[in-house]
Amino acid sequence: QVQLVESGGGLVQAGGSLRLSCAASGSILNINLMGWYRQPPGKQRELVATITSGDSTHYADSVKGRFTISRDNAQNTLYLQMKSLKPDDTAVYYCNARIRQMGWGSDYTYWGQGTQVTVSS
């Protein structure tokens, strides 16, 4: 019943910016760790950034200083602000969240469907 829906992907020129959003819905009690992953064409999925319920963040070295992860707990929404985009940032970006569902006894990991980000040179 819990779903993660991503938006904000698209085509952008190198040096440009995009803001990705991920809205969680369903019978949610609380959301703990949230993060963004990406899968470049022909490569494995990799971690981009994570954020805890206490707003502690972690970034991959490849995006540090350019990307900012944030969350709006009242709206159950995760964001990724991407600046100074490079062609190497081209990938399918996935939202991830560790969620405690109402009536359940433990947390489970959920994934969004992915949104395409393409950066042209």
Side-chain angles (χ1 to χ4, degrees), residues 22 27 35 39 50 53 56-57 67 84 90 96 101 108-109 112-113:
C22 171
S27 300
Q39 187 168 13
T50 60
S53 59
S56 295
T57 59
F67 291 10
S84 301
T90 295
N96 172 271
Q101 188 173 353
Y108 291 91
T109 299
Q113 79 287 351

Side-chain angles (χ1 to χ4, degrees), residues 31-35 37 50-53 56 71 96-99:
I31 302 177
N32 295 307
L33 186 68
M34 304 187 76
Y37 294 73
T50 60
I51 183 168
T52 69
S53 59
S56 295
R71 59 191 290 173
N96 172 271
R98 192 71 172 170
I99 296 175

Side-chain angles (χ1 to χ4, degrees), residues 38-44 87-92 116-118:
R38 69 185 183 186
Q39 187 168 13
K43 297 183 178 180
Q44 297 294 106
D88 286 347
D89 295 320
T90 295
V92 178
Q116 177 69 47
V117 172
T118 302

Side-chain angles (χ1 to χ4, degrees), residues 54-67:
D55 289 335
S56 295
T57 59
H58 171 268
Y59 297 92
D61 289 341
S62 59
V63 307
K64 187 176 181 180
R66 300 187 297 118
F67 291 10

Side-chain angles (χ1 to χ4, degrees), residues 94-113:
Y94 296 91
C95 174
N96 172 271
R98 192 71 172 170
I99 296 175
R100 178 71 61 93
Q101 188 173 353
M102 294 180 63
W104 291 35
S106 60
D107 295 348
Y108 291 91
T109 299
Y110 296 86
W111 291 90
Q113 79 287 351

